[in-house]
Amino acid sequence: EKHLSIQRQLADLEKLADLNEGEFTLAVPQNTNLHVTAEKKPCPLCPEEKFKACYGHKLHRHLQNLHWKISVEFEGYRMCICHLPCRIAKPNFVADQTFSKMGAHYHCIICSATITRRTDMIGHINRHVNKGETESRFITAPAPKSSCEVLKEANTDVQVLPNYFTPQKTDSYFNPKMKLNRQLIFCALAVLAEERKPIECLDAFGATGIMGLQWAKHLRSSVKVTINDCNENSVTMIQENCHLNKMKVKVNTKKEDNYEAIGDGDESTDTIEVTKMDANVIMHLRSFDFIHLDPFGTSVNYLDSAFRNVRNLGIVSLTSTDISSLYAKAQHVALRHYGCNIVRTEYYKELAARTVIAAVARSAARCNKGIEVLLAVALEHFVLVVVRVLRGPSPADDSAKKIRYLIHCQWCEERIFQKEGNMVEENPYQQLPCDCHGSMPGRTAVILGPLWSGALFNTGFLRRMLFEAVQYGLDEVQPLLKTVVCEAECTTSKNFSTHSPSDENKQEECGVYIKTPDMLAESDVMPGKRKNNEVMRNATKRQKTDNSAEHPAFYYNIHRHSIKGMNMPKLNKFLNYLSEAGYRVSRTHFDPMGVRTNAPLAQFKTVLMKHSTPTYAGGQTEGPLHLTEDVQVGDQLQAATDNKAKDDDGTVFAEDCPTYSAAD
């Protein structure tokens, strides 16, 4: 039976006091000393020493103002505050006397727990609701369950709990804003599925299971999907979503049986394995071809486990959502998690991507594995990195050599990676193309890193991802992939061309050697651990030949380097101006107004200055300034500044600067 303090109406509490003495003693716990008389009535929720028996009108005010007024409501029931000795209170010791205080509390209608504070009781009920536990064990008629919302994405239905978009309030977190992230990962997996079949892929943090369900539903027999989560409620939700999408579920929660159960060959192709264990444990116990890590926050705690058993030429993708530290808002957290010193710059998103890749490369090198970066995307809510694993000490050494420090000028924001070598530079400022250290007082540059200094994209892999996106009808991700392909080739969108599907499967187009099914069958027969030496040598040769064609590191924001009092040209026109000047140029997905180019910052500003128009010339069209006195004056001033003569104190001589009248 439900507790006395749980009633529907205030009259139900008053009826308890109207019962005769025999019935009332059955309803009230036996350890209370309540005496019922014909004239006065005791309070059913207070002991006699707290509230003595009184007449009806006084008892009504007591029940209404003390118990009913501060009750907690849930589905038509009121959980009133109770002062009976149901909850054991700690005694208070004062001198040699002991005082036992009756603590006020609430009784939960769902789990019969006792909670002391009203705010805690409300939070306790809300946690039950968020977990879907709304049926009371005391109510005879089953209470209607809270309607779980069913969301659909890429022809995949998922059932989510209330507050599914708040990680702190639900076990099955689902973020609709990460749809672009899920589509990018699906395209990467689809490309890997074309190289070798079948592949074993792992979604280490399943939550609702939306990502693994999309893999199994669209790629079918090409993949063997395993969805893992350490939360029991999330595992139950994943199983329900598998049945909702008409997928067979194989549940395995015993850690010692996981590896043996995978070896069965008579399983259905539409079967999804759901496991409940820590992500580090399952990655240590089993080997996978494709691993995706998407924890809440940083993913550095799972990198060593991911690279421990990942197969050769497999892919590891990770999504980092700790953007406050990666985007240099919490620099001490970035130093703690990634061992990297960063500051807020105009290229902070690419800086975040290179920070994550450096941590990935170090973790892979500890396992004698190298990496090839296939894709690095940094958007508003996440940083996505997709790398291919190259097994062996030589690729590990090559990847480790690409981790360098960055010299960043804080005045003009020019930047350059430090040269290779262990020798100490006498003057590190000489490596910077700018001369801010000579013209500005004090220390003008800062050392950032260590960062990844290699390429961020693989053009052949990105083109095949774009082909898979078109094939599966993923319209949202296609514009982003086209931008990234242009950025990887460092070309404008006008020069962008799509290859035919037959060209996408060529081995020369990808940075690594792609094995056909016949080659896979032949290589699997070869004995020994070094059966892929030829593959690794070809991959190394490809990387060395492609280094000359790598895209330039970092980008410049056109607004950051604009000239005050001048109207800048349109971004696409400015790209053409830089291209005509003989530099490689492209837009970047990191910044909508960013320009990726191999031009130094001084040349970048020169071209921008040349093709800018004065603000007061509103009717003048965009383009270079020709035969105007203002431009001639500006050129003479610029030439005088560049060729200025300084004394020992750095003072500019007056005779080196031209003089102009007020009319000029």
Side-chain angles (χ1 to χ4, degrees):
E1 297 180 358
K2 66 179 184 295
H3 194 263
L4 294 173
S5 60
I6 304 174
Q7 300 294 335
R8 284 188 176 273
Q9 297 177 358
L10 178 61
D12 297 334
L13 278 178
E14 296 178 352
K15 289 180 182 179
L16 292 177
D18 293 336
L19 299 177
N20 55 41
E21 184 177 0
E23 296 175 349
F24 187 73
T25 54
L26 293 177
V28 179
Q30 298 296 329
N31 55 356
T32 57
N33 299 323
L34 298 178
H35 302 284
V36 181
T37 60
E39 297 179 355
K40 297 183 179 181
K41 303 175 183 179
C43 175
L45 300 180
C46 295
E48 186 178 3
E49 56 268 18
K50 181 175 179 62
F51 185 82
K52 297 182 179 179
C54 60
Y55 294 102
H57 65 282
K58 186 176 181 181
L59 178 62
H60 176 78
R61 290 199 308 268
H62 171 76
L63 293 175
Q64 183 177 9
N65 297 332
L66 178 62
H67 297 284
W68 193 260
K69 188 175 181 180
I70 56 176
S71 60
V72 179
E73 186 177 3
F74 176 74
E75 293 187 356
Y77 282 85
R78 290 290 191 97
M79 291 168 280
C80 303
I81 190 169
C82 176
H83 291 272
L84 297 177
C86 310
R87 181 183 179 92
I88 301 176
K90 294 182 180 180
N92 297 329
F93 296 94
V94 179
D96 295 337
Q97 299 180 357
T98 302
F99 298 93
S100 60
K101 182 180 179 181
M102 300 298 178
H105 55 274
Y106 294 88
H107 291 266
C108 180
I109 191 175
I110 298 176
C111 64
S112 70
T114 55
I115 310 296
T116 55
R117 297 177 180 270
R118 185 175 184 271
T119 55
D120 296 342
M121 188 65 195
I122 295 175
H124 179 78
I125 292 295
N126 290 336
R127 283 191 291 271
H128 280 302
V129 174
N130 293 334
K131 293 180 181 179
E133 302 171 357
T134 58
E135 185 175 354
S136 173
R137 66 178 65 178
F138 304 109
I139 304 175
T140 56
K145 292 186 178 181
S146 61
S147 58
C148 294
E149 187 177 355
V150 177
L151 304 178
K152 189 171 184 178
E153 180 180 304
N155 297 327
T156 304
D157 299 328
V158 287
Q159 188 178 6
V160 296
L161 295 175
N163 295 328
Y164 60 88
F165 47 82
T166 308
Q168 294 85 356
K169 295 185 179 180
T170 182
D171 294 328
S172 59
Y173 176 58
F174 179 79
N175 190 359
K177 296 180 180 179
M178 301 290 285
K179 181 180 180 180
L180 194 63
N181 176 272
R182 288 186 283 269
Q183 291 184 354
L184 287 171
I185 297 168
F186 175 82
C187 293
L189 179 61
V191 172
L192 183 63
E194 293 295 329
E195 299 177 9
R196 46 184 175 180
K197 300 178 183 179
I199 58 175
E200 297 183 14
C201 49
L202 170 68
D203 183 9
F205 300 89
T208 58
I210 176 65
M211 193 173 297
L213 288 171
Q214 291 177 355
W215 298 348
K217 197 166 186 177
H218 295 285
L219 300 178
R220 294 291 180 177
S221 60
S222 301
V223 295
K224 294 181 180 179
V225 181
T226 301
I227 306 177
N228 176 73
D229 204 288
C230 61
N231 189 283
E232 185 176 358
N233 296 329
S234 297
V235 172
T236 304
M237 182 65 67
I238 293 172
Q239 298 175 19
E240 295 177 357
N241 290 331
C242 291
H243 294 306
L244 186 63
N245 291 274
K246 300 180 181 180
M247 295 282 182
K248 296 181 181 179
V249 183
K250 178 183 177 182
V251 182
N252 202 342
T253 58
K254 295 183 179 180
K255 300 179 182 178
E256 61 271 15
D257 295 337
N258 276 334
Y259 185 79
E260 299 176 359
I262 289 300
D264 299 338
D266 55 349
E267 296 180 4
S268 174
T269 57
D270 294 341
T271 301
I272 296 179
E273 183 178 2
V274 181
T275 59
K276 177 185 174 296
M277 62 181 71
D278 188 81
N280 285 320
V281 175
I282 189 173
M283 288 186 292
H284 269 293
L285 293 177
R286 290 173 48 184
S287 300
F288 295 94
D289 300 287
F290 185 91
I291 297 177
H292 176 63
L293 303 175
D294 188 8
F296 182 71
T298 181
S299 56
V300 293
N301 300 327
Y302 307 95
L303 293 179
D304 291 341
S305 303
F307 286 101
R308 179 66 59 183
N309 284 333
V310 63
R311 294 191 176 99
N312 189 29
L313 299 180
I315 289 180
V316 174
S317 65
L318 59 145
T319 302
S320 299
T321 55
D322 53 334
I323 57 175
S324 61
S325 59
L326 289 175
Y327 289 173
K329 295 180 180 178
Q331 301 175 11
H332 62 287
V333 180
L335 183 62
R336 185 198 320 146
H337 288 169
Y338 300 94
C340 181
N341 177 35
I342 57 176
V343 296
R344 185 79 171 191
T345 61
E346 64 172 333
Y347 51 93
Y348 66 94
K349 288 188 177 180
E350 184 172 347
L351 203 65
R354 293 185 180 274
T355 300
V356 176
I357 298 175
V360 171
R362 287 193 294 266
S363 297
R366 284 193 289 267
C367 302
N368 281 338
K369 294 181 176 69
I371 64 169
E372 180 194 5
V373 182
L374 304 177
L375 172 66
V377 174
L379 298 179
E380 182 181 0
H381 304 286
F382 64 90
V383 176
L384 172 64
V385 173
V386 181
V387 299
R388 190 188 292 273
V389 181
L390 308 175
R391 184 164 48 184
S394 296
D397 294 339
D398 295 338
S399 299
K401 290 178 182 178
K402 294 182 180 180
I403 302 177
R404 304 182 194 173
Y405 286 92
L406 182 74
I407 304 178
H408 170 79
C409 179
Q410 293 182 312
W411 285 94
C412 64
E413 298 211 31
E414 182 65 284
R415 75 294 303 228
I416 190 172
F417 282 105
Q418 278 189 347
K419 298 178 182 179
E420 294 185 10
N422 299 325
M423 302 303 294
V424 179
E425 287 283 342
E426 183 178 357
N427 187 6
Y429 292 100
Q430 293 180 355
Q431 300 183 25
L432 283 170
C434 64
D435 59 345
C436 296
H437 179 66
S439 58
M440 300 294 179
R443 300 176 181 178
T444 59
V446 63
I447 296 180
L448 307 180
L451 304 170
W452 174 259
S453 63
L456 299 180
F457 313 103
N458 184 296
T459 307
F461 192 86
L462 290 175
R463 285 187 174 274
R464 291 193 292 163
M465 283 181 61
L466 180 59
F467 174 74
E468 297 294 340
V470 175
Q471 184 178 3
Y472 287 98
L474 305 178
D475 299 331
E476 292 88 347
V477 77
Q478 293 180 21
L480 176 60
L481 285 176
K482 291 180 181 179
T483 303
V484 175
V485 169
C486 295
E487 186 176 0
E489 298 177 349
C490 201
T491 58
T492 57
S493 58
K494 292 182 179 180
N495 301 326
F496 176 77
S497 62
T498 57
H499 298 283
S500 61
S502 59
D503 296 336
E504 299 295 337
N505 296 326
K506 290 184 179 180
Q507 299 173 1
E508 291 81 10
E509 200 169 21
C510 187
V512 296
Y513 186 79
I514 305 171
K515 297 193 291 184
T516 60
D518 297 336
M519 296 178 181
L520 279 172
E522 183 179 356
S523 62
D524 292 339
V525 178
M526 297 173 60
K529 296 182 179 180
R530 301 182 178 273
K531 60 183 179 181
N532 291 327
N533 285 344
E534 183 179 357
V535 175
M536 298 305 304
R537 285 195 297 269
N538 292 335
T540 305
K541 291 180 180 179
R542 297 289 178 189
Q543 290 178 353
K544 289 182 179 179
T545 56
D546 292 343
N547 283 339
S548 59
E550 285 185 0
H551 58 83
F554 301 110
Y555 54 89
Y556 301 107
N557 186 288
I558 189 173
H559 284 294
R560 198 73 170 257
H561 302 284
S562 61
I563 297 93
K564 186 176 181 181
M566 305 289 285
N567 290 330
M568 298 182 304
K570 297 295 183 181
L571 183 58
N572 292 332
K573 291 185 178 181
F574 180 70
L575 297 179
N576 295 333
Y577 298 149
L578 277 176
S579 181
E580 293 172 358
Y583 298 106
R584 299 175 61 195
V585 63
S586 69
R587 301 189 68 169
T588 176
H589 79 280
F590 292 110
D591 189 353
M593 298 304 297
V595 177
R596 185 180 295 276
T597 178
N598 60 344
L601 182 59
Q603 298 297 326
F604 182 89
K605 290 183 177 180
T606 301
V607 176
L608 184 61
M609 175 73 179
K610 181 180 179 181
H611 296 278
S612 298
T613 58
T615 305
Y616 56 82
Q620 185 176 350
T621 58
E622 294 180 353
L625 301 177
H626 298 291
L627 302 177
T628 59
E629 296 181 359
D630 296 324
V631 175
Q632 295 176 3
V633 171
D635 294 340
Q636 294 178 12
L637 284 173
Q638 181 68 25
T641 306
D642 295 338
N643 301 324
K644 59 187 176 181
K646 298 183 181 180
D647 57 2
D648 296 336
D649 298 332
T651 306
V652 181
F653 292 108
E655 56 270 13
D656 297 316
C657 298
T659 57
Y660 300 96
S661 62
D664 295 334

